Amino acid sequence: MADNIPPISMVEINFDDESLKYVKKIIKDKINFQSEKYNDNFLKRRLSVRIKANNLLSCKEYIPFLHDNNELEELKKNLTIHVTEFFRDSSFWKFCSSDFFLDTLKNIKNRKIRIWSAGCSSGQEAISILITFLEIDEKLKDRIHIIGTDISNEILSKAKEARYDSYGMKGLTDEIIDKYFSREGEEVIFKEEYRSNFDFFRHDILDDKHLENIDILFFRNTVIYFSKEAKEKLYHNIYDYLNKDSFLILGKTETISGPARDLFKIYNGIERIYVRE
Ligand SMILES: C[S@@+](CC[C@H](N)C(=O)[O-])C[C@H]1O[C@@H](n2cnc3c(N)ncnc32)[C@H](O)[C@@H]1O
């Protein structure tokens, strides 16, 4: 008989509506994570990981475990997915160096360019932006200001540290490492002299607070976890956050949805670059 019991990793966790609703409320109240704005399938997948880790079979059984602060901490870590890499989607970065950033430099003269990497994870996207500008002209160092924000304080401390192991340095060539990083054993560390171009801090993109006077908003591979309604509202809010002619960049598989579609012009459809009208 025992041989017929599937391993817990293969088991489909049972989610009844009432328990899920209750757990979402706990997540919101105790973890300060706006669970109602994420899509339910994403939440169920993330919760299943913790439910299985505790050898349980249902969301209902998991509820009492949420009184334990250690479990809440584990769940919090599980609710965010930080996959990223340097120069993620290489055609996008080629387009930045051959066209997009050159156009930006033609349009914005004699002042700093303010760039926001929202959902920056461990900082690879933000660093890729600066390196791409510096490869165009190293004198641009004084003109590029990059703000990296994320909901997770843990991942932000990695972004601030800018120290990457062999997994984290994926996407870097030896030539770029030698120019912009120092090596320490198996790790690379982004050089101190470039750190002043960055500000990293916690910000929840689903909050109403936002940053101002942004020229380019990198918002790649973060919106995928949000509910349809939250996405549509957010795109609309982003229109208000950005100034006329500022740019919004989404991930390669993402597109503006809802009424905000009519508020942005497409600058490059393949690379998912939009201009705020
Ligand atoms: C998959 S990573 C994308 C990293 C990078 N933008 C890229 O494209 O490689 C998504 C990041 O969004 C963050 N995130 C999730 N919800 C967020 C929210 N409401 N506000 C800000 N960041 C959020 C996660 O913590 C995670 O680090």
Side-chain angles (χ1 to χ4, degrees):
M1 272 303 265
D3 285 351
N4 293 333
I5 300 172
I8 192 106
S9 57
M10 305 283 288
V11 167
E12 185 90 4
I13 299 298
N14 181 272
F15 285 92
D16 66 279
D17 289 349
E18 202 182 323
S19 306
L20 181 62
K21 198 169 157 201
Y22 187 69
V23 169
K24 281 166 76 172
K25 185 168 163 19
I26 297 182
I27 291 176
K28 182 166 185 172
D29 295 347
K30 295 200 180 171
I31 302 184
N32 192 17
F33 185 91
Q34 303 190 50
S35 50
E36 78 286 6
K37 296 184 182 166
Y38 286 75
N39 87 51
D40 273 358
N41 284 336
F42 164 74
L43 286 174
K44 284 180 186 172
R45 280 199 305 275
R46 304 320 296 159
L47 279 163
S48 293
V49 174
R50 289 311 308 156
I51 294 173
K52 289 178 184 178
N54 286 289
N55 280 315
L56 306 171
L57 296 172
S58 71
C59 184
K60 192 171 183 178
E61 289 172 299
Y62 184 54
I63 291 172
F65 286 68
L66 293 170
H67 296 302
D68 173 6
N69 285 338
N70 292 333
E71 182 54 40
L72 280 175
E73 207 39 56
E74 288 305 317
L75 177 58
K76 185 175 170 184
K77 280 189 218 149
N78 247 276
L79 286 173
T80 44
I81 297 192
H82 305 298
V83 177
T84 189
E85 61 181 75
F86 286 99
F87 304 103
R88 183 176 189 178
D89 299 319
S90 58
S91 75
F92 168 77
W93 295 98
K94 280 192 192 114
F95 183 72
C96 287
S97 32
S98 64
D99 292 77
F100 177 41
F101 285 180
L102 300 181
D103 262 2
T104 306
L105 290 164
K106 265 186 226 149
N107 293 332
I108 305 176
K109 293 218 163 79
N110 307 319
R111 70 163 174 87
K112 282 206 175 195
I113 301 175
R114 257 168 78 80
I115 301 169
W116 179 10
S117 165
C120 65
S121 187
S122 32
Q124 285 90 331
E125 178 177 78
I127 293 176
S128 303
I129 298 169
L130 183 66
I131 292 177
T132 304
F133 272 108
L134 295 181
E135 287 293 291
I136 292 170
D137 182 352
E138 62 188 24
K139 290 200 266 322
L140 288 169
K141 185 181 175 315
D142 296 333
R143 289 198 46 214
I144 306 298
H145 183 215
I146 301 167
I147 301 150
T149 61
D150 202 283
I151 196 175
S152 157
N153 280 321
E154 253 184 14
I155 206 72
L156 281 167
S157 40
K158 294 199 171 156
K160 286 180 201 162
E161 207 186 356
R163 173 189 284 268
Y164 301 98
D165 60 14
S166 56
Y167 176 76
M169 70 174 83
K170 199 170 158 211
L172 291 177
T173 58
D174 278 339
E175 195 191 341
I176 292 291
I177 293 177
D178 291 339
K179 211 162 159 186
Y180 298 100
F181 293 79
S182 39
R183 295 184 191 259
E184 214 177 273
E186 299 289 292
E187 297 181 326
V188 297
I189 304 154
F190 193 49
K191 283 186 182 162
E192 200 59 48
E193 64 200 83
Y194 301 112
R195 303 290 181 93
S196 55
N197 288 72
F198 298 90
D199 268 323
F200 287 107
F201 54 86
R202 187 186 183 281
H203 173 267
D204 183 344
I205 193 85
L206 293 168
D207 278 349
D208 290 332
K209 288 189 297 244
H210 63 91
L211 308 184
E212 287 181 345
N213 295 325
I214 297 299
D215 296 303
I216 310 176
L217 168 55
F218 279 73
F219 188 38
R220 301 164 75 224
N221 308 303
T222 298
V223 83
I224 32 173
Y225 311 114
F226 300 161
S227 72
K228 180 174 172 287
E229 299 71 33
K231 267 186 215 178
E232 291 186 1
K233 182 164 185 282
L234 182 56
Y235 287 132
H236 208 277
N237 289 350
I238 285 175
Y239 174 82
D240 288 336
Y241 301 166
L242 295 178
N243 295 332
K244 187 171 168 352
D245 298 330
S246 301
F247 292 94
L248 165 67
I249 303 167
L250 301 180
K252 260 305 185 37
T253 57
E254 296 160 351
T255 174
I256 299 180
S257 53
R261 255 193 316 245
D262 299 331
L263 303 174
F264 292 84
K265 266 193 320 238
I266 294 175
Y267 174 84
N268 185 306
I270 294 172
E271 304 306 341
R272 301 290 198 257
I273 307 177
Y274 300 86
V275 188
R276 191 269 202 211
E277 296 224 72

